[in-house]
């Protein structure tokens, strides 16, 4: 069956549909030896489809993983600085999966990876605003904490107010917070805390939508999501 190449590459877990268009624009995709362009169609079962010379097979079974990303690991599939990547942590997965969004190098916690391009697009598209909750340990003055839940501008973008709950207060002005954000801008939590004069000591993502980090997972471990968990993510991201 002939389909748009963007859909084929997304369904094979190569990249999102938007990223596929960029690959084609730079001439990285060929069909039967001919350079493809955005909007072209192909048959994944019979055509020779390649990205940077690597052949892409037909539609694979869909896999979505929950990884407990440790601090110090970068959310990329490869790294020119030879840092440890999330791709190395999920080598046991039978298909190539891509990260759903990002966690910065020094943050830890729940990271989803999938070869389901439609789910990846739905969870990361700005219009869907899937909430994400982080457990954040900060040091600073108590009177600065309310500022985290007020409207603020990050990198020129007016973010929606976060939901903030103080979980515990420790000596020396240390607080453990649960912060729920809606957009997921680059390093958003860290930038919010910096604007409020708070120093981040530890940042761990504990949920995406209603999906919570599995307490049985240790840093660096992963598991497949159940069909019910994937379906819940589809509903929350507006897919179902």
């Amino acid at each position: 069956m002939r389909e748009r190449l963007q859909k084929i590459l997304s369904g094979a877990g190569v990249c999102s549909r938007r990223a596929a268009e960029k690959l084609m624009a730079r001439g990285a995709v060929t069909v039967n030896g001919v350079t493809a362009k955005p909007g072209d169609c192909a048959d994944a079962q019979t055509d020779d489809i390649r990205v940077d010379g690597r052949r892409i097979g037909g539609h694979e079974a869909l896999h979505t993983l929950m990884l407990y990303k440790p601090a110090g690991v970068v959310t990329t599939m490869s790294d020119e600085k030879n840092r440890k990547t999330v791709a190395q942590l999920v080598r046991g997965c039978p298909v190539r999966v891509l990260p759903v969004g990002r966690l910065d190098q020094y943050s830890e916690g729940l990271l989803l990876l999938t070869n389901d391009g439609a789910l990846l697009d739905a969870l990361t598209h700005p219009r869907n605003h899937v909430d994400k909750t982080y457990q954040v340990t900060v040091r600073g003055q108590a009177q600065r904490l309310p500022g985290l839940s007020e409207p603020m501008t990050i990198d020129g973008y007016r973010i929606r107010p976060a939901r903030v709950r103080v979980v515990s207060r420790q000596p020396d002005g240390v607080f453990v917070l649960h912060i729920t954000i809606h957009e997921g801008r680059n390093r958003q939590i860290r930038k919010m805390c910096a604007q409020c004069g708070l120093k981040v000591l530890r940042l761990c993502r504990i949920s995406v939508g209603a999906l919570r980090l599995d307490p049985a997972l240790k840093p660096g471990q992963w598991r497949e999501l159940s069909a019910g968990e994937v379906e819940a993510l589809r509903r929350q991201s507006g897919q179902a």
Side-chain angles (χ1 to χ4, degrees):
M1 181 179 68
R2 293 181 64 78
E3 298 177 294
R4 285 185 178 270
L5 278 167
Q6 293 97 313
K7 182 176 181 181
I8 292 173
L9 296 182
S10 173
V14 175
C15 59
S16 69
R17 296 190 191 189
R18 283 172 287 171
E21 293 177 356
K22 294 179 181 178
L23 286 174
M24 284 184 273
R26 69 174 176 85
V29 182
T30 61
V31 178
N32 302 324
V34 178
T35 301
K37 60 184 183 298
D40 283 357
C41 296
D43 188 324
Q45 303 302 323
T46 60
D47 289 326
D48 183 338
I49 304 169
R50 296 178 184 261
V51 176
D52 289 327
R54 183 173 66 88
R55 185 164 187 176
I56 306 302
H59 289 287
E60 300 170 295
L62 298 180
H63 294 262
T64 301
L65 317 181
M66 173 192 295
L67 168 70
Y68 188 150
K69 187 191 95 65
V73 176
V74 293
T75 309
T76 57
M77 303 309 289
S78 62
D79 184 68
E80 69 283 356
K81 298 179 181 178
N82 292 320
R83 295 172 295 184
K84 192 168 188 178
T85 69
V86 295
Q88 294 170 278
L89 298 178
V90 297
R91 281 176 174 163
C93 182
V95 298
R96 183 175 184 267
V97 290
L98 299 174
V100 179
R102 305 181 75 84
L103 276 175
D104 71 61
Q105 181 179 358
Y106 303 105
S107 298
E108 60 186 280
L110 195 167
L111 180 69
L112 297 173
L113 298 99
T114 187
N115 68 335
D116 184 337
L119 180 62
L120 188 152
D121 281 346
L123 287 171
T124 56
H125 198 288
R127 70 170 176 264
N128 293 328
H129 296 304
V130 178
D131 288 353
K132 302 171 185 68
T133 300
Y134 299 77
Q135 182 165 297
V136 189
T137 304
V138 300
R139 177 180 285 119
Q141 299 176 343
Q143 59 265 36
R144 298 294 190 98
L145 297 179
L148 291 171
S149 55
E150 296 174 357
M152 66 175 70
T153 300
I154 300 290
D155 297 332
Y157 178 86
R158 190 74 165 173
I159 62 170
R160 296 168 60 194
R163 297 197 304 271
V164 181
R165 180 169 69 88
V166 178
V167 178
S168 66
R169 301 168 184 257
Q170 301 174 4
D172 302 321
V174 174
F175 301 86
V176 178
L177 313 173
H178 280 182
I179 302 178
T180 300
I181 60 175
H182 316 288
E183 293 94 342
R185 311 286 297 180
N186 180 43
R187 296 173 63 86
Q188 180 174 330
I189 296 282
R190 294 185 185 276
K191 291 174 181 178
M192 289 167 56
C193 290
Q195 283 198 29
C196 294
L198 302 167
K199 179 179 177 60
V200 174
L201 305 179
R202 180 173 181 259
L203 195 157
C204 179
R205 183 190 286 161
I206 57 175
S207 71
V208 174
L211 182 67
R212 295 188 62 82
L213 179 62
D214 190 332
L217 292 178
K218 295 181 173 60
Q221 294 182 333
W222 60 273
R223 69 166 175 83
E224 292 254 11
L225 294 192
S226 69
E229 289 172 327
V230 172
E231 183 59 29
L233 286 173
R234 293 190 192 283
R235 289 195 301 270
Q236 291 164 46
S237 61
Q239 255 203 306

